[in-house]
């Protein structure tokens, strides 16, 4: 069963440290150093965008649209950031990020951790499940 | 599958929290497990003050993680002021994790200090304090949980018990005092 057009998922803590990284695209997994670098790059850009924003109370970049990809970012009130890199125009990514936040709180705290989180995450990103988020 | 490492008290308690937050089918299990933890702490630490401190610390460790679960599931937006925060804790937070609602009273003039009052408290079902434990704040984990949770959303608070049924009062009352707001600013402090 194909995943929705998602290339990768990152979860970073409020200091910019990488908590979780998953590659879904066919380009293959980034090595650890690169993924850490990408995570802290995004963390910095996100923080700077809040300072640069002309609107008061801006909470940072939510959507970045580029030629080859879209990047959707969700920041919880506790400062943890969830961002997904996907095909341009992919729908329901905001809703998906909220679902991932819930899964994260359910599974990342228990000793079993990553395995269950991975399992539920791969179900959540399935094309047909993502499509349901639009209803 | 690697063998599970021994779990600390708060890991057990946190997983019990997960069990109870879906629906309180396991309320009694939760109450009994908490009681067993307090009993064990009293045996291990002997001093009632030490147990109070440890319960608060356990609560803090739970609270800093519980806040994300609360935010993810409750779908609440950022509270506009501390009054809304207190109401949210009492009505939504307590309901979600303990299955009971609390009430908020005793606001001070600048809205930074209030009391959260619990009529029902599932933690204390079947509990009586013996004479040897009169200084114990049996539910001290709750004050730690609230303090830890609020710290993760930029509020430093001081939380103390002003009434405790196990100590002879007619209700459970927590005084919650907002000490200061500590918004995150770039550059953020590093992780240890």
């Amino acid at each position: 069963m194909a995943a929705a057009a998602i290339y990768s998922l990152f979860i970073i803590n409020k200091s910019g440290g990488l908590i979780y990284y998953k590659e879904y695209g066919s380009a293959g997994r980034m090595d650890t150093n690169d993924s850490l670098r990408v995570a802290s790059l995004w963390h910095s850009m996100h923080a700077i965008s809040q300072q640069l924003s002309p609107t008061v109370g801006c909470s940072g970049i939510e959507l970045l649209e580029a030629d080859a990809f879209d990047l959707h970012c969700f920041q919880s009130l506790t400062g943890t950031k969830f961002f997904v890199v996907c095909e341009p125009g992919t729908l329901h990514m905001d809703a998906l990020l909220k679902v991932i936040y819930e899964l994260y709180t359910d599974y990342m705290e228990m000793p079993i951790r990553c395995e269950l989180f991975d399992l539920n995450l791969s179900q959540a990103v399935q094309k047909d499940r993502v499509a349901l988020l639009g209803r | 599958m690697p063998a599970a490492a021994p779990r600390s008290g708060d890991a057990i308690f946190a997983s019990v929290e997960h069990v109870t937050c879906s629906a309180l089918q396991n309320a009694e299990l939760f109450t009994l497990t908490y009681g067993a933890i307090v009993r064990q702490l009293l045996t291990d630490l002997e001093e009632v003050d030490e147990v109070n401190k440890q319960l608060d610390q356990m609560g803090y460790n739970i609270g800093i993680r519980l806040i994300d679960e609360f935010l993810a599931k409750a779908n609440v937006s950022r509270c506009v002021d501390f009054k809304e925060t207190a109401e949210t804790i009492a009505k939504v937070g307590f309901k979600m994790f303990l299955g009971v609602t609390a009430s908020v009273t005793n606001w001070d003039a600048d809205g930074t200090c209030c009391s959260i009052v619990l009529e029902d408290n599932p933690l204390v079902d079947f509990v009586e304090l013996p004479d040897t434990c009169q200084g114990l704040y049996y539910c001290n984990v709750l004050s730690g949980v609230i303090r830890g949770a609020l710290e993760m959303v930029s509020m430093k608070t001081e939380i103390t018990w002003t009434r405790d049924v196990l100590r002879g009062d007619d209700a459970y009352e927590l005084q919650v005092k907002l000490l200061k707001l500590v918004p995150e600013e770039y550059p953020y402090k590093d992780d240890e």
Side-chain angles (χ1 to χ4, degrees), chain A residues 79-90:
Chain A
T80 309
K81 287 184 264 300
F82 301 76
F83 62 96
V84 69
V85 181
C86 59
E87 255 178 43
T90 311

Side-chain angles (χ1 to χ4, degrees), chain A residues 13-15 43-44 47-48 50-51 76-78 80 101-102 104-106 109-111 115, chain B residues 1 7 18 65 67-69 71-73 75-78 152-153 184 186 188-191:
Chain A
N13 65 22
K14 63 175 165 188
S15 320
H43 170 74
S44 306
I48 293 169
Q50 284 176 252
Q51 312 270 322
S76 74
L77 289 175
T78 54
T80 309
Y101 183 32
E102 255 197 76
Y104 168 78
T105 62
D106 277 337
E109 318 310 333
M110 295 167 86
E115 258 181 71
Chain B
M1 185 95 102
R7 291 156 72 182
H18 285 284
R65 299 186 189 289
I67 178 68
D68 267 319
E69 185 169 347
L71 291 172
K73 300 211 157 115
N75 227 353
V76 291
S77 49
R78 186 179 278 284
M152 290 296 110
V153 283
E184 293 284 349
Y186 187 73
Y188 306 116
K189 55 186 180 302
D190 285 326
D191 273 337

Side-chain angles (χ1 to χ4, degrees), chain B residues 48-49 52 124 127-140 160-173:
Chain B
V48 153
D49 283 330
N52 286 338
V124 303
V127 175
E128 263 175 36
L129 282 191
D131 293 328
T132 49
C133 299
Q134 287 307 312
L136 182 69
Y137 285 109
Y138 184 83
C139 305
N140 220 26
T160 44
W161 289 99
T162 45
R163 279 191 286 166
D164 188 330
V165 172
L166 291 177
R167 302 174 102 184
D169 302 311
D170 53 346
Y172 294 94
E173 182 175 325

Side-chain angles (χ1 to χ4, degrees), chain A residues 5-124:
Chain A
I6 293 166
Y7 297 144
S8 54
L9 167 72
F10 291 77
I11 305 179
I12 58 184
N13 65 22
K14 63 175 165 188
S15 320
L18 183 63
I19 300 174
Y20 185 85
Y21 160 60
K22 184 82 182 209
E23 189 69 44
Y24 294 101
S26 47
R29 206 188 142 83
M30 234 187 274
D31 76 23
T32 313
N33 286 334
D34 284 343
S35 62
L36 289 169
R37 224 170 272 136
V38 166
S40 53
L41 232 176
W42 179 252
H43 170 74
S44 306
M45 275 175 51
H46 190 273
I48 293 169
S49 71
Q50 284 176 252
Q51 312 270 322
L52 287 178
S53 169
T55 54
V56 174
C58 170
S59 56
I61 304 176
E62 288 173 0
L63 171 64
L64 179 87
E65 286 175 310
D67 287 338
F69 67 90
D70 283 349
L71 187 156
H72 293 258
C73 180
F74 167 72
Q75 182 174 233
S76 74
L77 289 175
T78 54
T80 309
K81 287 184 264 300
F82 301 76
F83 62 96
V84 69
V85 181
C86 59
E87 255 178 43
T90 311
L91 298 173
H92 317 312
M93 291 293 98
D94 293 335
L96 177 66
L97 286 172
K98 296 237 166 60
V99 169
I100 294 175
Y101 183 32
E102 255 197 76
L103 291 177
Y104 168 78
T105 62
D106 277 337
Y107 296 111
M108 290 307 245
E109 318 310 333
M110 295 167 86
I112 301 181
R113 287 188 160 226
C114 270
E115 258 181 71
L116 283 179
F117 180 65
D118 268 338
L119 199 67
N120 280 270
L121 188 60
S122 26
Q123 283 172 356

